[in-house]
Amino acid sequence: MTNLWLAGEDQRVAVHVPVVVVGGGPIGLTASIMLSRFGIGSLLVNRRETTSTHPRARFIDVRSIEIFRQIGLADDIISGGLPPEWVQSVRYSTTFSDPEVWRLPTESYHSVPQPYSPTIPVMTSQDLVEAILHDAARSYSTADVRFATELVGLEQDADGCRVRIRDLRSGEETALTADYVIGADGRASTVRALIGGRLLEGDVNPLQIQDVFYHADMSPWVKNRIGALLFVYHSKGYGLFQPLDGKTRWRAQCTTFNPPVDPSEITEELCVEWIRSAIGDTEGELELELESIAPWNPEAQLCDTFGANRVFLAGDAAHMLFPTGGYGMNLGYHGMHNLAWKLAYVLGGAASADILRSYEAERRPQAERTRQASVGNARLAGELYRTHMRGGDVAEAAFRLRQYGNFQGMILGTEYRSDLCRADPDPPPAVTNELVDFAPVVRSGRRAPHVWLDDTRTRSVLDLFGRTYVLLAGGGLSAAVEQARGLEARGFPVAVFELPQHTLDNGHYRSGEDVLVRPDGVVAARIAAGAEPDLPRITAAV
């Protein structure tokens, strides 16, 4: 491994932290918060001076909001989202002044309650979310959050990690040790490079996107054509508009320019011309205030490893997706939810370090599945416009594209296969499209289904999870309940919760069946009535 320690200086290390988190974007900040909620100390370092001021990623899916509900931040994040009427659909046009090509309903974006979750998805923006996460991370005494600070050295052995960081304001360097390191430092990850990780061959979009953040009153052109994403394919190029507040904050993604322009020669003026052309503003009437332009090239690749020994990769450091669908940031949240409790259990003495191997085993298949979906969305969106241009059946092309905003199966139907989940004896529920269709089911390896525990619909079964294993008892005292209480008495973190009668035999949970659920809300095992539970063996992997 590359050795970046400064030669000739005192190498004594005086500081130790359980976890160093590299990267202060949404995933790194979430890691800090989750570890703090387990009482695990961490140091987070981030090169940037502040949290993001550019919108960047926008969509937070329903599973991510469930996770934020678990850590007490869901309401804050939802409050900054678009109103429900803006996220009912995705729209496709040539320009805003031309007849609409197609409107695609989008259940996965729509911010209204659904029976399968206690909360709702939200279309917001990364700058707002990062500020919320930053304040939350800094509120814990267990967390040291340092911006304008970079990682300059990382080594590890069987006993731990040796880390060197630099304060970019003062230039001062500090050496410290850590039990584990999380690299959540984005596409150009330093941590990934230092552990020898490499990006596998995937899909790279050769077209540079100009991500334009601006303020303007777009209502004279948008009119009633409101939607979460407003795609256009006009004379000056292809791209889309994204409403950020349903009022005057907007983002335009200029994907292609006609005639083609070298990326180095794209100016603010060209982007403004592109926007005017896309909305059909032939008279130059739109008044806009440009905030920032962020050029970037979409990539859809996985790293060949999600971790090496005591160092783990998360978010874009581990997997990069095309932006089509809004999956990328959510994939990072879901992955950190999987990793954080395992690190906390190991550091707290409740589990062997062997469970950390399950992070990649459980998350890599989902990352690849989601990567492929993002690539498929890009292809299908292009197909819809090509079909329109040649006068083909747009409805058929749109049906194939429906996964763009309808992907509950992908985010809620994830099924983990590892030593931490006992193999389920029954086949999975049959669905027509595994990305689109979601069938809630109590099944080993899957998220435990949501049911309300009270008549006021304020407490969900999902609210029971987060810190310990939970045995959901489906009918009084059973052998599984006795075993769970025995494990608890010996120090294993497990609680018993007897499901109210109204939650049984009405679709998900069954009378007499006990369900062991992990801290991340994933079913570890279900024990049928009269079956030998053998909880000590099931939890032995932990």
Side-chain angles (χ1 to χ4, degrees):
M1 181 174 297
T2 304
N3 188 333
L4 296 181
W5 302 114
L6 292 183
E9 291 200 5
D10 188 349
Q11 298 299 305
R12 289 175 297 175
V13 176
V15 178
H16 177 84
V17 293
V19 182
V20 170
V21 180
V22 183
I27 311 309
L29 290 167
T30 300
S32 175
I33 294 166
M34 289 182 175
L35 291 169
S36 289
R37 287 179 60 82
F38 279 101
I40 302 298
S42 67
L43 166 67
L44 181 148
V45 298
N46 190 69
R47 280 199 187 105
R48 287 182 284 123
E49 291 269 351
T50 65
T51 56
S52 178
T53 57
H54 193 83
R56 302 185 189 278
R58 289 198 313 149
F59 177 59
I60 304 184
D61 69 33
V62 70
R63 182 57 180 147
S64 295
I65 294 292
E66 288 177 355
I67 293 167
F68 286 126
R69 177 185 173 100
Q70 198 175 83
I71 61 178
L73 296 176
D75 290 344
D76 290 340
I77 290 172
I78 290 171
S79 68
L82 280 171
E85 63 268 21
W86 278 89
V87 287
Q88 295 182 58
S89 57
V90 169
R91 296 177 181 267
Y92 299 84
S93 308
T94 47
T95 76
F96 287 4
S97 299
D98 296 313
E100 189 168 78
V101 174
W102 194 261
R103 183 182 71 85
L104 181 73
T106 51
E107 178 184 323
S108 296
Y109 295 159
H110 201 185
S111 297
V112 295
Q114 299 288 351
Y116 47 70
S117 180
T119 189
I120 59 174
V122 63
M123 193 70 74
T124 177
S125 57
Q126 186 172 329
D127 51 335
L128 303 181
V129 174
E130 278 193 21
I132 292 168
L133 297 177
H134 178 265
D135 289 347
R138 289 177 59 89
S139 72
Y140 290 96
S141 61
T142 48
D144 184 356
V145 178
R146 303 188 196 182
F147 275 52
T149 305
E150 66 176 350
L151 175 79
V152 293
L154 171 61
E155 292 180 331
Q156 61 173 319
D157 56 28
D159 297 322
C161 302
R162 296 185 298 280
V163 176
R164 185 175 287 275
I165 59 174
R166 178 189 295 133
D167 186 315
L168 295 176
R169 298 185 183 98
S170 67
E172 180 182 354
E173 295 198 4
T174 303
L176 60 143
T177 60
D179 295 297
Y180 295 99
V181 172
I182 297 174
D185 50 343
R187 291 170 173 258
S189 171
T190 298
V191 176
R192 183 175 65 219
L194 288 175
I195 66 171
R198 64 183 182 85
L199 294 174
L200 298 172
E201 184 176 346
D203 296 86
V204 178
N205 188 335
L207 303 172
Q208 186 184 80
I209 291 178
Q210 303 297 319
D211 204 21
V212 185
F213 174 30
Y214 67 97
H215 296 270
D217 178 9
M218 297 274 285
S219 57
W221 292 273
V222 174
K223 298 179 181 176
N224 64 348
R225 194 178 297 185
I226 61 175
L229 302 168
L230 304 176
F231 283 87
V232 288
Y233 198 0
H234 55 112
S235 61
K236 286 193 176 294
Y238 168 74
L240 69 151
F241 289 86
Q242 302 180 6
L244 300 178
D245 64 356
K247 298 174 183 176
T248 60
R249 292 180 82 234
W250 283 86
R251 175 186 183 186
Q253 289 187 317
C254 313
T255 302
T256 61
F257 286 81
N258 186 30
V261 182
D262 186 282
S264 64
E265 297 178 359
I266 294 175
T267 62
E268 290 185 4
E269 289 74 20
L270 274 176
C271 291
V272 171
E273 288 177 14
W274 188 100
I275 291 170
R276 292 189 190 283
S277 169
I279 66 174
D281 177 21
T282 57
E283 303 298 323
E285 297 175 347
L286 177 69
E287 296 182 5
L288 61 86
E289 178 185 349
L290 212 62
E291 283 281 348
S292 57
I293 298 178
W296 60 293
N297 290 88
E299 300 167 286
Q301 297 171 278
L302 303 189
C303 184
D304 64 342
T305 179
F306 283 14
N309 302 318
R310 291 177 171 269
V311 180
F312 298 90
L313 302 177
D316 283 355
H319 39 66
M320 296 181 288
L321 310 182
F322 283 177
T324 39
Y327 307 150
M329 182 168 61
N330 294 291
L331 188 66
Y333 290 139
H334 304 171
M336 187 51 61
H337 193 227
N338 181 286
L339 176 62
W341 76 268
K342 297 172 183 176
L343 282 173
Y345 270 41
V346 172
L347 289 165
S352 158
D354 290 343
I355 70 166
L356 298 174
R357 291 198 296 266
S358 68
Y359 168 58
E360 180 161 353
E362 293 180 346
R363 291 306 303 169
R364 176 175 287 278
Q366 180 65 3
E368 175 58 19
R369 180 190 190 199
T370 311
R371 186 196 73 81
Q372 291 180 11
S374 76
V375 173
N377 285 347
R379 176 179 56 80
L380 291 168
E383 181 184 309
L384 183 138
Y385 273 117
R386 287 190 295 272
T387 301
H388 170 70
M389 295 302 180
R390 64 173 180 261
D393 186 351
V394 175
E396 182 180 338
F399 178 77
R400 290 192 293 272
L401 180 60
R402 70 194 187 283
Q403 70 186 47
Y404 201 113
N406 300 278
F407 42 85
Q408 299 305 80
M410 183 176 71
I411 58 175
L412 296 178
T414 301
E415 185 166 312
Y416 293 155
R417 293 183 175 89
S418 76
D419 291 342
L420 301 189
C421 299
R422 186 166 75 174
D424 203 287
D426 296 333
V431 294
T432 303
N433 185 313
E434 289 188 350
L435 297 181
V436 176
D437 304 323
F438 172 57
V441 63
V442 177
R443 179 172 171 79
S444 184
R446 294 201 179 191
R447 158 192 170 273
H450 153 69
V451 292
W452 291 114
L453 298 177
D454 55 1
D455 293 337
T456 59
R457 299 195 165 209
T458 56
R459 192 181 187 210
S460 166
V461 71
L462 303 189
D463 298 330
L464 302 174
F465 314 134
R467 297 180 186 273
T468 70
Y469 273 71
V470 177
L471 183 73
L472 300 176
L477 187 65
S478 66
V481 170
E482 290 182 346
Q483 288 186 2
R485 288 177 175 158
L487 287 169
E488 183 182 23
R490 294 195 294 273
F492 186 79
V494 59
V496 174
F497 181 85
E498 187 169 346
L499 288 168
Q501 190 60 42
H502 76 268
T503 67
L504 300 173
D505 299 327
N506 62 354
H508 306 314
Y509 301 95
R510 304 172 188 168
S511 295
E513 182 174 271
D514 300 316
V515 182
L516 183 66
V517 184
R518 307 182 335 181
D520 57 357
V522 171
V523 174
R526 59 187 182 91
I527 301 101
E532 171 56 44
D534 202 8
L535 293 193
R537 186 181 62 81
I538 295 170
T539 58
V542 182

PDB file of all heavy atoms in Angstrom, residues 67-83:
ATOM      1  N   ILE A  67     -35.378   5.320   6.615  1.00  0.00           N
ATOM      2  CA  ILE A  67     -34.121   5.322   7.368  1.00  0.00           C
ATOM      3  C   ILE A  67     -33.962   6.628   8.135  1.00  0.00           C
ATOM      4  O   ILE A  67     -33.577   6.642   9.314  1.00  0.00           O
ATOM      5  CB  ILE A  67     -32.933   5.089   6.411  1.00  0.00           C
ATOM      6  CG1 ILE A  67     -32.990   3.668   5.832  1.00  0.00           C
ATOM      7  CG2 ILE A  67     -31.600   5.324   7.125  1.00  0.00           C
ATOM      8  CD1 ILE A  67     -32.055   3.432   4.664  1.00  0.00           C
ATOM      9  N   PHE A  68     -34.287   7.759   7.489  1.00  0.00           N
ATOM     10  CA  PHE A  68     -34.199   9.051   8.174  1.00  0.00           C
ATOM     11  C   PHE A  68     -35.244   9.165   9.279  1.00  0.00           C
ATOM     12  O   PHE A  68     -35.012   9.837  10.291  1.00  0.00           O
ATOM     13  CB  PHE A  68     -34.335  10.195   7.174  1.00  0.00           C
ATOM     14  CG  PHE A  68     -33.106  10.392   6.327  1.00  0.00           C
ATOM     15  CD1 PHE A  68     -33.182  10.406   4.946  1.00  0.00           C
ATOM     16  CD2 PHE A  68     -31.860  10.555   6.916  1.00  0.00           C
ATOM     17  CE1 PHE A  68     -32.040  10.569   4.172  1.00  0.00           C
ATOM     18  CE2 PHE A  68     -30.719  10.718   6.154  1.00  0.00           C
ATOM     19  CZ  PHE A  68     -30.808  10.722   4.768  1.00  0.00           C
ATOM     20  N   ARG A  69     -36.376   8.509   9.104  1.00  0.00           N
ATOM     21  CA  ARG A  69     -37.369   8.464  10.189  1.00  0.00           C
ATOM     22  C   ARG A  69     -36.762   7.766  11.403  1.00  0.00           C
ATOM     23  O   ARG A  69     -36.976   8.177  12.547  1.00  0.00           O
ATOM     24  CB  ARG A  69     -38.610   7.721   9.689  1.00  0.00           C
ATOM     25  CG  ARG A  69     -39.731   7.508  10.722  1.00  0.00           C
ATOM     26  CD  ARG A  69     -40.839   6.652  10.104  1.00  0.00           C
ATOM     27  NE  ARG A  69     -41.877   6.259  11.064  1.00  0.00           N
ATOM     28  CZ  ARG A  69     -43.067   6.858  11.183  1.00  0.00           C
ATOM     29  NH1 ARG A  69     -43.368   7.876  10.406  1.00  0.00           N
ATOM     30  NH2 ARG A  69     -43.948   6.420  12.072  1.00  0.00           N
ATOM     31  N   GLN A  70     -35.992   6.730  11.148  1.00  0.00           N
ATOM     32  CA  GLN A  70     -35.360   5.969  12.216  1.00  0.00           C
ATOM     33  C   GLN A  70     -34.365   6.817  13.003  1.00  0.00           C
ATOM     34  O   GLN A  70     -34.194   6.617  14.204  1.00  0.00           O
ATOM     35  CB  GLN A  70     -34.648   4.764  11.598  1.00  0.00           C
ATOM     36  CG  GLN A  70     -34.288   3.648  12.541  1.00  0.00           C
ATOM     37  CD  GLN A  70     -33.703   2.479  11.769  1.00  0.00           C
ATOM     38  OE1 GLN A  70     -32.516   2.466  11.455  1.00  0.00           O
ATOM     39  NE2 GLN A  70     -34.537   1.497  11.453  1.00  0.00           N
ATOM     40  N   ILE A  71     -33.706   7.776  12.332  1.00  0.00           N
ATOM     41  CA  ILE A  71     -32.719   8.606  13.030  1.00  0.00           C
ATOM     42  C   ILE A  71     -33.245  10.016  13.328  1.00  0.00           C
ATOM     43  O   ILE A  71     -32.477  10.908  13.680  1.00  0.00           O
ATOM     44  CB  ILE A  71     -31.385   8.676  12.248  1.00  0.00           C
ATOM     45  CG1 ILE A  71     -31.561   9.287  10.860  1.00  0.00           C
ATOM     46  CG2 ILE A  71     -30.772   7.287  12.130  1.00  0.00           C
ATOM     47  CD1 ILE A  71     -30.260   9.409  10.075  1.00  0.00           C
ATOM     48  N   GLY A  72     -34.571  10.191  13.178  1.00  0.00           N
ATOM     49  CA  GLY A  72     -35.206  11.427  13.624  1.00  0.00           C
ATOM     50  C   GLY A  72     -35.101  12.614  12.699  1.00  0.00           C
ATOM     51  O   GLY A  72     -35.303  13.757  13.130  1.00  0.00           O
ATOM     52  N   LEU A  73     -34.820  12.390  11.412  1.00  0.00           N
ATOM     53  CA  LEU A  73     -34.618  13.517  10.492  1.00  0.00           C
ATOM     54  C   LEU A  73     -35.623  13.561   9.345  1.00  0.00           C
ATOM     55  O   LEU A  73     -35.554  14.454   8.492  1.00  0.00           O
ATOM     56  CB  LEU A  73     -33.198  13.467   9.908  1.00  0.00           C
ATOM     57  CG  LEU A  73     -32.059  13.627  10.907  1.00  0.00           C
ATOM     58  CD1 LEU A  73     -30.713  13.467  10.197  1.00  0.00           C
ATOM     59  CD2 LEU A  73     -32.130  14.977  11.615  1.00  0.00           C
ATOM     60  N   ALA A  74     -36.554  12.623   9.287  1.00  0.00           N
ATOM     61  CA  ALA A  74     -37.464  12.549   8.140  1.00  0.00           C
ATOM     62  C   ALA A  74     -38.271  13.823   7.970  1.00  0.00           C
ATOM     63  O   ALA A  74     -38.396  14.358   6.856  1.00  0.00           O
ATOM     64  CB  ALA A  74     -38.392  11.343   8.277  1.00  0.00           C
ATOM     65  N   ASP A  75     -38.844  14.340   9.040  1.00  0.00           N
ATOM     66  CA  ASP A  75     -39.710  15.521   8.921  1.00  0.00           C
ATOM     67  C   ASP A  75     -38.934  16.729   8.409  1.00  0.00           C
ATOM     68  O   ASP A  75     -39.444  17.507   7.583  1.00  0.00           O
ATOM     69  CB  ASP A  75     -40.354  15.849  10.270  1.00  0.00           C
ATOM     70  CG  ASP A  75     -41.406  14.820  10.680  1.00  0.00           C
ATOM     71  OD1 ASP A  75     -41.846  14.044   9.810  1.00  0.00           O
ATOM     72  OD2 ASP A  75     -41.772  14.796  11.866  1.00  0.00           O
ATOM     73  N   ASP A  76     -37.706  16.917   8.890  1.00  0.00           N
ATOM     74  CA  ASP A  76     -36.892  18.051   8.432  1.00  0.00           C
ATOM     75  C   ASP A  76     -36.617  17.948   6.937  1.00  0.00           C
ATOM     76  O   ASP A  76     -36.664  18.949   6.210  1.00  0.00           O
ATOM     77  CB  ASP A  76     -35.565  18.089   9.193  1.00  0.00           C
ATOM     78  CG  ASP A  76     -35.736  18.490  10.642  1.00  0.00           C
ATOM     79  OD1 ASP A  76     -36.777  19.096  10.972  1.00  0.00           O
ATOM     80  OD2 ASP A  76     -34.840  18.195  11.454  1.00  0.00           O
ATOM     81  N   ILE A  77     -36.325  16.752   6.475  1.00  0.00           N
ATOM     82  CA  ILE A  77     -35.993  16.569   5.063  1.00  0.00           C
ATOM     83  C   ILE A  77     -37.238  16.710   4.190  1.00  0.00           C
ATOM     84  O   ILE A  77     -37.216  17.351   3.138  1.00  0.00           O
ATOM     85  CB  ILE A  77     -35.299  15.212   4.856  1.00  0.00           C
ATOM     86  CG1 ILE A  77     -33.897  15.273   5.480  1.00  0.00           C
ATOM     87  CG2 ILE A  77     -35.204  14.857   3.377  1.00  0.00           C
ATOM     88  CD1 ILE A  77     -33.169  13.956   5.509  1.00  0.00           C
ATOM     89  N   ILE A  78     -38.344  16.140   4.634  1.00  0.00           N
ATOM     90  CA  ILE A  78     -39.591  16.236   3.856  1.00  0.00           C
ATOM     91  C   ILE A  78     -40.050  17.685   3.742  1.00  0.00           C
ATOM     92  O   ILE A  78     -40.601  18.097   2.708  1.00  0.00           O
ATOM     93  CB  ILE A  78     -40.686  15.359   4.508  1.00  0.00           C
ATOM     94  CG1 ILE A  78     -40.347  13.874   4.322  1.00  0.00           C
ATOM     95  CG2 ILE A  78     -42.057  15.657   3.921  1.00  0.00           C
ATOM     96  CD1 ILE A  78     -41.248  12.935   5.107  1.00  0.00           C
ATOM     97  N   SER A  79     -39.812  18.487   4.770  1.00  0.00           N
ATOM     98  CA  SER A  79     -40.301  19.872   4.771  1.00  0.00           C
ATOM     99  C   SER A  79     -39.704  20.705   3.645  1.00  0.00           C
ATOM    100  O   SER A  79     -40.298  21.706   3.233  1.00  0.00           O
ATOM    101  CB  SER A  79     -39.998  20.536   6.117  1.00  0.00           C
ATOM    102  OG  SER A  79     -38.597  20.717   6.293  1.00  0.00           O
ATOM    103  N   GLY A  80     -38.549  20.315   3.120  1.00  0.00           N
ATOM    104  CA  GLY A  80     -37.935  21.077   2.035  1.00  0.00           C
ATOM    105  C   GLY A  80     -38.254  20.539   0.661  1.00  0.00           C
ATOM    106  O   GLY A  80     -37.666  20.981  -0.333  1.00  0.00           O
ATOM    107  N   GLY A  81     -39.204  19.599   0.567  1.00  0.00           N
ATOM    108  CA  GLY A  81     -39.483  18.953  -0.701  1.00  0.00           C
ATOM    109  C   GLY A  81     -40.523  19.659  -1.543  1.00  0.00           C
ATOM    110  O   GLY A  81     -41.223  20.570  -1.091  1.00  0.00           O
ATOM    111  N   LEU A  82     -40.622  19.213  -2.776  1.00  0.00           N
ATOM    112  CA  LEU A  82     -41.636  19.743  -3.693  1.00  0.00           C
ATOM    113  C   LEU A  82     -43.033  19.319  -3.246  1.00  0.00           C
ATOM    114  O   LEU A  82     -43.206  18.236  -2.698  1.00  0.00           O
ATOM    115  CB  LEU A  82     -41.397  19.208  -5.102  1.00  0.00           C
ATOM    116  CG  LEU A  82     -40.316  19.871  -5.943  1.00  0.00           C
ATOM    117  CD1 LEU A  82     -40.086  19.068  -7.213  1.00  0.00           C
ATOM    118  CD2 LEU A  82     -40.707  21.302  -6.295  1.00  0.00           C
ATOM    119  N   PRO A  83     -44.033  20.153  -3.494  1.00  0.00           N
ATOM    120  CA  PRO A  83     -45.414  19.755  -3.185  1.00  0.00           C
ATOM    121  C   PRO A  83     -45.826  18.536  -4.009  1.00  0.00           C
ATOM    122  O   PRO A  83     -45.300  18.302  -5.101  1.00  0.00           O
ATOM    123  CB  PRO A  83     -46.225  20.994  -3.588  1.00  0.00           C
ATOM    124  CG  PRO A  83     -45.254  22.126  -3.609  1.00  0.00           C
ATOM    125  CD  PRO A  83     -43.939  21.529  -4.010  1.00  0.00           C
TER     126      PRO A  83
END
